[in-house]
Amino acid sequence: MSKSKESAANQAVLVYMIKQNRPYSVQDVFQNMGKDLGKTACTKAMESLAAEGKLKEKVYGKQKVYVADQSQYPAVDDTEIKAMDEKIAQLNDQIKLHSDGIRTLESELHLFSGVLSTAAARDELSNIYPEIEKLKAKLAKLKEGRVLISKEEKDKVYNNREKYVKEWRKRKRIASDIFNSILEGYPKTKKQLFEDIGVETDEDCNVKVPDK
């Protein structure tokens, strides 16, 4: 780093530390100053300023903390300190009051977040009302005893049912024959066989082939 850049970095860090007037590590200054200088430049600047006596250095284990030389600040008497403490207490009370208010508002917002807006509710109603009218019309037809399905559709449903039940019985019989053949040379029970190969029967599922 050139002398001019080093001098500029020292000045920037010094101005910042005097303005803040609080203890900071190199990492704190590096982060708080927007990382414009780079960590190496911050380290060199703070070490140089400490060597010149413009910053005071305190070592806590492996951590170094720097603070502006306090002799450059005007003395503060006890009355001022007391007034500052009172002001801090007042501000803390205000912070607590505002924080409580924020929590209350956040709770209310949470309650309303799951509620439909007026516009959304109107859209929902516009979809529901036609459906209600359709259901009313269907109910009226049922009350009148009107036929809602043709004979052809009804016959088709019954024929399909008969076909599928017949196929169900056929496959159940084939499976039963296969298992009986296996059991002739199987040393355990039928239940144990089903458990070993992971078979679930109709009875296990509480279903049975319709009688008709």
Side-chain angles (χ1 to χ4, degrees):
M1 182 184 295
S2 66
K3 289 290 184 181
S4 60
K5 288 185 178 180
E6 185 176 321
S7 178
N10 288 4
Q11 184 61 28
V13 171
L14 180 60
V15 170
Y16 177 78
M17 293 294 289
I18 290 174
K19 181 180 179 181
Q20 297 300 318
N21 192 25
R22 58 181 296 178
Y24 279 131
S25 67
V26 171
Q27 183 66 25
D28 294 331
V29 174
F30 170 60
Q31 291 181 332
N32 295 345
M33 294 186 71
K35 303 181 182 179
D36 295 330
L37 300 177
K39 191 168 183 180
T40 301
C42 283
T43 302
K44 288 183 177 179
M46 296 182 79
E47 288 177 348
S48 176
L49 291 169
E52 294 173 9
K54 295 177 180 178
L55 295 182
K56 298 297 181 183
E57 179 186 280
K58 295 288 185 181
V59 180
Y60 300 95
K62 295 182 179 180
Q63 179 79 9
K64 289 184 179 181
V65 177
Y66 299 85
V67 68
D69 180 15
Q70 298 299 296
S71 64
Q72 64 188 304
Y73 298 101
V76 180
D77 61 27
D78 291 341
T79 303
E80 266 189 282
I81 293 175
K82 184 178 180 181
M84 289 180 182
D85 288 340
E86 290 175 354
K87 182 65 174 177
I88 290 171
Q90 291 174 5
L91 292 174
N92 284 333
D93 289 341
Q94 290 179 22
I95 290 172
K96 184 178 183 304
L97 182 63
H98 289 308
S99 296
D100 292 342
I102 290 171
R103 280 194 291 271
T104 300
L105 292 174
E106 286 177 341
S107 297
E108 292 179 3
L109 179 62
H110 180 71
L111 288 175
F112 286 109
S113 62
V115 178
L116 287 176
S117 65
T118 301
R122 285 173 179 162
D123 290 341
E124 192 75 17
L125 285 174
S126 67
N127 295 326
I128 290 175
Y129 282 137
E131 187 65 23
I132 291 174
E133 294 304 318
K134 286 172 59 178
L135 292 173
K136 284 182 178 179
K138 185 175 181 180
L139 179 61
K141 289 180 180 180
L142 290 172
K143 287 182 176 179
E144 292 170 3
R146 294 171 59 181
V147 177
L148 301 180
I149 182 172
S150 65
K151 182 179 183 304
E152 290 77 13
E153 291 176 312
K154 184 178 179 180
D155 289 342
K156 183 179 179 181
V157 170
Y158 278 113
N159 289 336
N160 283 338
R161 179 183 183 278
E162 184 177 351
K163 179 177 71 174
Y164 295 138
V165 169
K166 182 178 179 181
E167 187 65 23
W168 186 353
R169 288 199 186 98
K170 176 183 175 183
R171 296 192 179 195
K172 186 178 179 70
R173 185 174 61 256
I174 292 172
S176 180
D177 291 343
I178 292 172
F179 288 129
N180 287 335
S181 296
I182 294 173
L183 285 168
E184 289 178 2
Y186 190 71
K188 300 179 183 178
T189 63
K190 186 176 184 179
K191 180 179 179 182
Q192 187 62 49
L193 172 63
F194 287 173
E195 289 181 0
D196 289 344
I197 61 178
V199 172
E200 289 185 350
T201 65
D202 292 339
E203 291 74 20
D204 292 333
C205 299
N206 295 319
V207 295
K208 64 178 182 178
V209 182
D211 296 332
K212 293 182 180 180

